[in-house]
Amino acid sequence: MSVLIAIASAHNTTTTIGQRIAARLATHIPGPVDVRPITEIPASNGIAPYSAVIVGSAIHMATWLPPARKFLTAQQVPLSERPVWAFSVGVPNTEEYAALEREKMEALVRKSVPQLRGHTLFQGRIEREQLAWPVALFFKWFPKSAKFGDFVEWEEVDKWADKVGEEMKEAMKVSK
């Protein structure tokens, strides 16, 4: 089984999470697990060599990054022919907002990939220097809304990757 982890990352956190998932998957399944930026995956036959796909994107302005959304649309047919999982990386400031964001991002992915096997939302990392000036200005005016730092919960990433790895193993047994 070969797995593609297709990543849309703005500040490298999503890529780092994708690499961690790849390392965990490698302990569960035989075959390569490749982590590639979505922008480097050819539109025609780019996912053809892979038997499963995980798509991950950072969340900016309450949605996935444009390259990730374009990837889902452009690869809709090939994605429908293989098992697909997805993850989002954001920094929701409350559990209520996290649940809403998780639901919204899963719905976004399911528009192009109705057979999606699973989606999760991971906490990410955000630094003040990464913000566009209008957003930084907002946080300057409303400092209680600001939430800066590294919030990645690596145990949650590992737990999700292990779950997906077990699901992939089961899928391999069924397809034999």
Side-chain angles (χ1 to χ4, degrees), residues 9 15 28 52 87 89-90 95 103 116 146 154 163 170:
S9 188
T15 301
H28 291 277
F87 68 93
V89 178
E95 186 51 44
E103 185 180 306
L116 182 68
W154 293 109
K163 178 180 172 276
E170 284 302 312

Side-chain angles (χ1 to χ4, degrees), residues 95 97-107 119-121:
E95 186 51 44
Y97 189 72
L100 181 65
E101 201 165 70
R102 189 177 301 110
E103 185 180 306
K104 182 180 176 188
M105 295 310 109
E106 182 170 336
H119 170 267
T120 195
L121 170 68

Side-chain angles (χ1 to χ4, degrees), residues 100-153:
L100 181 65
E101 201 165 70
R102 189 177 301 110
E103 185 180 306
K104 182 180 176 188
M105 295 310 109
E106 182 170 336
L108 179 143
V109 177
R110 284 194 186 278
K111 283 182 188 175
S112 295
V113 188
Q115 83 288 359
L116 182 68
R117 298 277 180 107
H119 170 267
T120 195
L121 170 68
F122 295 122
Q123 289 285 331
R125 180 176 53 95
I126 186 167
E127 303 301 335
R128 187 178 302 275
E129 309 79 57
Q130 297 172 339
L131 300 176
W133 72 266
V135 179
L137 192 58
F138 171 82
F139 285 125
K140 186 175 181 178
W141 288 338
F142 301 99
K144 290 182 181 178
S145 300
K147 183 180 176 186
F148 298 105
D150 186 343
F151 304 101
V152 179
E153 297 169 335

Side-chain angles (χ1 to χ4, degrees), residues 10-22:
H11 301 288
N12 208 37
T13 304
T14 308
T15 301
T16 304
I17 291 171
Q19 291 166 338
R20 177 76 167 245
I21 291 168

